[in-house]
Each structure stands twice: as C-alpha cells, then as structure tokens.
Amino acid sequence: MSLPAFDTLLQNDAALVVAFSGGLDSTVLLHQLRAWQQQHPESHLRALHVHHGLSPNADAWAAHCQTLCEQWQLPCDVLRVTVDGRENGIEAAARTARYQALSAALKPGEILLTAQHLDDQCETLMLALKRGSGPAGLAAMPSSRMLGSHQLVRPLLNQSRQSLEAYADAHQLVWIDDESNQDIRYDRNFLRQRLLPELYQRWPHFAEATARSAALCSEQEQLLDELLAGQLAELIQPDGSLHFPPLMAMSELRANALLRRWIAGQGGAMPSREALKRIRDEVMASREDAQPRLRFGQAELRRYRQRLYWLPLFPSLRDTELAWPDLRQPLDLPQNLGTLRASQSQSLLRYPQPDEQISVRFHAQGHVHLVGRNGGREMKKLWQELQIPPWQRERLPLIYYNQALVCVPNLFVTHAGAASDQQGWQIVWDMTSRAGEH
C-alpha cells in the first residue's frame, strides 16, 4: 500500500491509534502509519496492545510490542483483558473483549485503525456463508464504521497478505507469530490453513471476487437502510425502545428488516431468522400482561406496554443494601447507576432521628402511603401507575430510615419521610454516569 492512499482516509491532523498485536499485519500498518505521520507532523500516532492472557507467550508478545514502539518512538500501552469463552467460544469472546478494551482506552477524537486485509475479508465472508447469514452478514467488514463514539478504520482491506509480506520483507520488519493461528480447531484457521489455499490455487483471484460480492451486499444493505430509515424513525421512541404493533400488520420480510436495523442500532449482533421468529411469536404476540424475555449473548429483549427494549444484562441488585452514614459525602451507586447527594435546595424529606440509619436498597414490597395521595398503594400497583418497567424497578435507589421506605429520588416521598417544616432536605440523584438504561 502506497502512503498517499492514507490521505483519502485521514485528515492531516488526525489522532490515530493502531490496534497493535505485533503480528505481520499490524506491524506493517503501524510502520506505514509511522511514515505517514512523519510526513504530517500535525497528526498524532500511538499503539494499543491487547494482552489476552491466552498464550504462555502473551507477556513476551507485549514486551515485543513495547520494545518495537520504543525503537520507533511511539507510545504503546498494554491493555490486559480476561476472556471467558464458555458461552460463545474463545474466538468470539476474545474479539469482544479486545474491542471493548480498545474502545474504553480511546481518547476523545481518536480514530482506531485495525489491520484486517483482503484475505481476512474473504475468510469473514466464508464464515458468514457457513452461518447462513443474509446480505448484512455477507457484506463482511466495512472499511470504516463507528465503534461507540469513535471511528474505526481498516485501511488494508484491499491489500493481500502476500503484498503485506512483501512489504515487511522489503523493510526488514520483525513480527511475532501466534502459535494458535496454526490450530485448525478454530474455524478461521481451518479456512486459512486448509480450504482457502486450494481455492486460491484453482482461482488466484478468489479473494478479490469475494470482496466484490461483499461490496455488492453492502450496497444492497445501504439501499435498504435508506428506504426503511423514515419508517424506522417513526417506530423508535425517545428512550430507544421500539413501538412494535405496526410490525404485526406488515409482511414478515419488512418487519424482520426493521427489527434487524433496530437491534443493530441498539448495539446487538445480527439475529438469525429463527431468532426473529422467536421475537415475533414469543414476545410481540404474547398476551398483554405477559413479561416475555429473550436472551441474546450479554443482552436481552423485553417487552413493556407495546414496546420492545434491548437491554444489557446486569446482576440483580435485589439483595443489595448500602449504608449512607454521612450525608455530607455523596454515595456512589453500583453498576454505573450514578451518585446520590444531599441538598437543602428543597424541603422534601425530614431529617432522620438519632436512632434512624439511612440506607439505600433496590427492592420493596407491601403498601406505602405517598405524600399528596389518599390511602396506601401496593408497591407492584404503584410501579404500574408510574409506568416503571419491571427491569427498572430493581435499579431505582429506594431510601430507607431503618425499615421505613421514605422516598425514591425524582419519583415520590412517603408520609414516613415527609418534612413537616422548613428544616428538611432532598436527595439529588446524579445519573450522568448511568449506562445502558432505558
């Protein structure tokens, strides 16, 4: 790849981060970008190495990457991750952990560059065929996409591995070989070691042909995106949920296309045809008072009041109890639910008596008497009146004085905690750090 090709992808003052494994592909990419960065001194370049801990050589690989970056006078940080392949396999788990770590390590405005090449693209399309994927899966890897709030660019997708090897030899580059790449128990390695060499021998331009097919599938998906964008926007609610009843009156093809795009917009993986059928039959078509839920990896699909919600999985907080002994100090809530702090801007709550301890819980039952309402309310009925979905009910901080529920910030105050004079206080719930909530 000639250096001027980067100019069509990158701004002269770009802040670039290379996902640097130390293998051939990322070594070539980092070397090329280092040369480009020297021609564009207003740009910035650094490397990130993900340490998966799956190989006994992992420490040596990390050291190699840092040593090489020192020689090239480039910053290089090592990101250590834990890979759990029990659910979706080691390959998928390692990929997920890698991108999560890389995304979290990016600074505002930085662009992540990865070194997938033409042969990788061919392998990705072949694996999609094996899975029975539709056009979205067969579109394989785009040259550019968003990773959270950051752009991810793959500048080598048009380059063959053979051309990268030639470049590395010409510049006397040194790289590492991951011994797991020879293990044909992994599907991608089986393709790379056994199947694709035969295909390339028979059809030398097979990789280029599959790349064209992937590009055509991508164009068809982009066209569908444009055609369905308006209708999808009408169905998506301000909180990201999907108003689904109109889908039940559509053809299955159109409804599935809209569902796929909504799920993709929520960050979910492309669902299979069987999964889409289960969403229709078990969730959308279930009775009105049902609470169906389908799990998809680390997320789940749920229904509430004619809307579909795509939710990350969180451990239950039902039995969690937090003490708040000093109101002068804010209280951090678990699972990125934000922070509670005391304020005297409004007199809503009475101050606790000397023998009353303040605690925060996430589950309540029984009857409560709310300020401004006559009679008591059973908690389940109260949540329904307030239109709080079932999964949110155990993620709301409930404030207790000893065993008495006194308030839920931003929702209600009970008679047991109501201020009777101007000496009261209120709780401010700062939710700016909340993640994945609907």
Side-chain angles (χ1 to χ4, degrees):
M1 179 179 185
S2 59
L3 295 182
F6 285 112
D7 292 335
T8 62
L9 295 171
L10 307 172
Q11 299 292 327
N12 290 342
D13 60 349
L16 309 175
V17 179
V18 172
F20 185 38
S21 69
L24 167 69
D25 313 336
S26 61
T27 300
V28 168
L29 177 60
L30 187 60
H31 186 268
Q32 291 183 335
L33 284 169
R34 174 174 174 264
W36 182 86
Q37 193 264 338
Q38 290 173 340
Q39 297 176 4
H40 301 80
E42 62 271 41
S43 65
H44 299 275
L45 177 64
R46 67 187 184 103
L48 293 174
H49 174 80
V50 178
H51 185 302
H52 297 90
L54 297 174
S55 167
N57 299 313
D59 289 339
W61 296 341
H64 165 85
C65 291
Q66 290 186 306
T67 299
L68 187 58
C69 286
E70 287 177 6
Q71 294 174 3
W72 290 351
Q73 297 182 320
L74 294 173
C76 178
D77 293 322
V78 175
L79 311 176
R80 295 180 179 269
V81 300
T82 300
V83 178
D84 183 356
R86 289 176 294 181
E87 183 173 343
N88 296 314
I90 288 293
E91 287 180 288
R95 181 171 57 252
T96 299
R98 180 165 59 252
Y99 278 109
Q100 287 177 345
L102 291 169
S103 178
L106 294 175
K107 301 173 184 176
E110 286 187 324
I111 298 172
L112 179 66
L113 297 102
T114 58
Q116 290 94 349
H117 49 73
L118 183 63
D119 298 72
D120 293 324
Q121 184 77 302
C122 179
E123 293 163 9
T124 301
L125 185 139
M126 296 289 284
L127 290 171
L129 280 173
K130 187 267 294 185
R131 292 191 299 269
S133 300
L138 297 177
M141 295 179 287
S143 59
S144 177
R145 71 174 179 90
M146 296 306 295
L147 180 66
S149 60
H150 297 270
Q151 186 180 10
L152 186 155
V153 177
R154 300 181 176 101
L156 303 183
L157 277 184
N158 293 325
Q159 307 297 310
S160 68
R161 179 177 177 84
Q162 186 177 12
S163 69
L164 300 185
E165 290 174 344
Y167 180 97
D169 290 340
H171 292 85
Q172 298 182 320
L173 301 182
V174 178
W175 63 90
I176 60 177
D177 286 312
D178 185 341
E179 72 278 356
S180 69
N181 289 336
Q182 305 303 316
D183 189 345
I184 62 171
R185 291 178 299 174
Y186 299 123
D187 290 342
R188 188 175 289 272
N189 290 344
F190 173 76
L191 286 174
R192 186 176 300 163
Q193 303 295 334
R194 295 285 183 87
L195 183 58
L196 288 175
E198 294 283 338
L199 294 176
Y200 292 155
Q201 185 175 0
R202 173 81 180 209
W203 300 299
H205 300 291
F206 183 78
E208 289 88 343
T210 58
R212 288 195 299 272
S213 294
L216 290 171
C217 289
S218 177
E219 289 178 6
Q220 294 300 309
E221 282 298 294
Q222 291 176 38
L223 176 60
L224 277 176
D225 287 344
E226 292 182 14
L227 294 176
L228 295 174
Q231 190 170 26
L232 184 61
E234 293 177 357
L235 297 175
I236 295 178
Q237 305 304 301
D239 62 357
S241 62
L242 185 75
H243 180 63
F244 69 82
L247 270 63
M248 304 297 288
M250 298 178 189
S251 70
E252 187 174 346
L253 289 176
R254 178 179 285 268
N256 286 348
L258 289 165
L259 270 175
R260 286 193 184 100
R261 280 155 180 79
W262 173 69
I263 291 173
Q266 298 294 303
M270 190 60 59
S272 65
R273 180 179 295 181
E274 179 185 356
L276 291 170
K277 186 176 187 302
R278 291 190 66 192
I279 292 173
R280 174 182 286 268
D281 295 346
E282 300 176 28
V283 181
M284 293 193 295
S286 62
R287 67 180 190 274
E288 185 68 26
D289 60 345
Q291 295 184 16
R293 55 201 297 182
L294 290 178
R295 179 170 175 176
F296 296 89
Q298 294 304 306
E300 65 177 355
L301 184 95
R302 300 190 66 164
R303 161 186 165 166
Y304 184 69
R305 294 182 181 265
Q306 298 189 326
R307 295 184 186 181
L308 299 181
Y309 292 81
W310 188 268
L311 304 164
L313 290 175
F314 292 108
S316 173
L317 293 173
R318 184 184 182 93
D319 298 323
T320 299
E321 182 173 346
L322 307 174
W324 194 1
D326 186 357
L327 294 181
R328 295 169 297 180
Q329 301 296 324
L331 181 68
D332 291 329
L333 300 175
Q335 299 182 13
N336 293 321
L337 287 176
T339 301
L340 301 180
R341 60 181 177 86
S343 171
Q344 295 182 335
S345 59
Q346 284 186 284
S347 180
L348 300 179
L349 285 171
R350 66 176 177 83
Y351 281 103
Q353 298 296 321
D355 62 343
E356 289 180 321
Q357 306 299 317
I358 305 177
S359 64
V360 179
R361 306 175 193 179
F362 296 89
H363 174 68
Q365 56 188 6
H367 284 72
V368 293
H369 295 262
L370 305 189
V371 172
R373 294 195 184 189
N374 294 323
R377 295 288 193 281
E378 199 269 328
M379 283 302 303
K380 182 178 180 180
K381 296 293 185 181
L382 178 59
W383 292 136
Q384 293 173 349
E385 288 180 27
L386 295 172
Q387 299 187 24
I388 306 297
W391 57 89
Q392 281 188 1
R393 296 171 191 175
E394 292 185 7
R395 299 184 64 76
L396 296 173
L398 314 180
I399 314 303
Y400 279 77
Y401 288 174
N402 290 346
Q403 300 305 313
L405 175 63
V406 296
C407 84
V408 177
N410 305 336
L411 285 180
F412 60 77
V413 174
T414 71
H415 285 294
S420 58
D421 52 37
Q422 299 302 312
Q423 301 302 311
W425 65 296
Q426 72 168 126
I427 297 176
V428 177
W429 183 11
D430 180 5
M431 296 177 281
T432 55
S433 63
R434 294 177 70 187
E437 291 294 292
H438 292 294

